[in-house]
Amino acid sequence: MKEKSICQNTLLAQPKHFLQHFLVLILSLSSTLPFAHSFDYGDALSKSLLYFEAQRSGHLPYNQRVTWRHHSGLTDGLEQGVDLVGGYYDAGDNVKFGLPMAYTITLLSWGVIEFRDEIAAVDGELRHALEAIKWGTDYFIKAHTHPHVLWAQVGDGYTDHLCWQRPEDMTTSRRAYKLDEENPGTEVAAETAAAMAAASIVFRGTNPQYAQLLLHHAEQLFEFGDKYRGKYDSSIKEVKGYYSSVSGYRDELLWAALWLYKATHNITYFDYAILNAESFGGTTWAIREFSWDVKFAGLQTLAATLPTEGRDKEQKQILQQYRSKAEHYLCANLNKNNFTNAKRTPGGLLYTRRWNNMQYVSNAALLLTVYSNHLRSTDQTLDCQTDSVGPTKILSFVKSQVDYILGSNPMGLSYLVGYGSAYPMRVHHRGASTTSYKDDKVFVGCMQGYHTWFGRHDPNPNVLVGALVGGPDKNDEFRDKRVNFAQTEACTYNTAPLVGIFAKLHELEKGSSSNTIASASLPLLSFI
Ligand SMILES: *[C@@H]1O[C@H](CO)[C@@H](O)[C@H](O)[C@H]1NC(C)=O
Ligand SMILES: *[C@@H]1O[C@H](CO)[C@@H](O)[C@H](O)[C@H]1NC(C)=O
């Protein structure tokens, strides 16, 4: 990781990038030509959903489309006498981490709740999105074996990372870790409650019994997480260094309460979010990061979209405080605060930190897209310190970030693997970088994988379609090497927020292709 940068293309690529944008502007302003530098967001949507099939653990179904994968983790939980087969691997390793898995399902569900029709507009993709969510929630049902017991991890980062093996060949520890009254883990209990509550909204119309079951688990998990409060990485020390909770569990508690309120309309959960708004930091923290760990901006945005009619004066006031913190975050990303704005790369990408920066980009883009929807449906604008921003302008900024992801960037690469003609070929991923189990069932040993597959210069034998990798550094530079995991590793919560966003942009593009004025009116350049 400390290797020197060998990236050399950036300076050459940059003028081309600006020329492309210049051309986009010219073409979109002319009357009849189609939107020139437009991306196929429908294709991106389809690809993003394939990624979740590649990350599946357990017994793969007959209709599995990512066929280079095979069954794996079939004895997960066996040692402890519990069935923990299924769920998702979080990234390029083979551990099942409860916190990011649940967060992934919450984000996927949010995308479907907001953009269900837009997803359904691309043939077959609503079904795939529902399958991606259910693969997670089916697992959470298994993992929640008692009202106050949640199995929150299978395998551990330390032993897993000593080996480079396809999940189909794993010989590493598959020990499972549980949370209970003596070993509490509020972050995971509350995030899993949020995921199941959000998913219950998704399934309400099509599978009401399943939705009811999810709600039942969500309510129990919230009660467990709230009543037995404790940081989960104190109970499961093995998660430290991988998914340690820096922000603690108070953000997850507010987040879960708001999702439960959204799912049940039970005023108890609303009151919880109001009563604890200040003491839990919900209305006091203004943080420019939204992630699997730090959820203040997410819960503030969620609270900001709740209707205010019928609330008393104090409730209205607290909702307004949530809203003002949400808007601070959103305005920072739009570069419209007087002082505290998000950093950007010279190519215009939001930049938070070197390690897996793309997660912050796609997570921010979801909040912006959701809020843009809210503003449009309530006929409002976002009043930032330096400017008032309407829903269309917010979406055009989201589009600039998504277009950067899909190839409109100085490297000329799509950071969504498998999209377009140029994308990362050496994604840091055990399964994708090793020959497919389907083609060669000969066992790949722990160290053998490092020797034979990890260290190779050749591209991965399997394309991890739909994965959003960690992405470029602060100078828009990217080194496509397996060892460079800060940039070439993908995570499920990078892609999850993109599903709904791709669908929304796809709809927008369809609407504007018959009307070039509409695309010209998207102020593409104003943010770059
Ligand atoms: C609302 O939720 C609380 C806490 O789970 C529960 O005790 C109460 O019975 C619920 N109320 C209704 C009307 O369902
Ligand atoms: C931001 O800057 C504008 C223009 O200089 C000023 O009018 C406004 O009061 C400032 N707002 C804050 C919150 O600092």
Side-chain angles (χ1 to χ4, degrees), residues 338-339 385-386:
N338 279 357
F339 304 110
Q385 290 169 354
T386 67

Side-chain angles (χ1 to χ4, degrees), residues 219 266 268-269:
E219 300 206 71
N266 180 336
T268 309
Y269 299 113

Side-chain angles (χ1 to χ4, degrees), residues 219-220 222-223 260 264-269:
E219 300 206 71
Q220 284 186 348
F222 178 75
E223 191 255 352
L260 274 162
T264 62
H265 301 293
N266 180 336
I267 202 72
T268 309
Y269 299 113

Side-chain angles (χ1 to χ4, degrees), residues 141 229 385 440 473 482:
I141 291 171
R229 289 187 195 172
Q385 290 169 354
D440 189 350
D473 64 16
R482 237 163 260 127

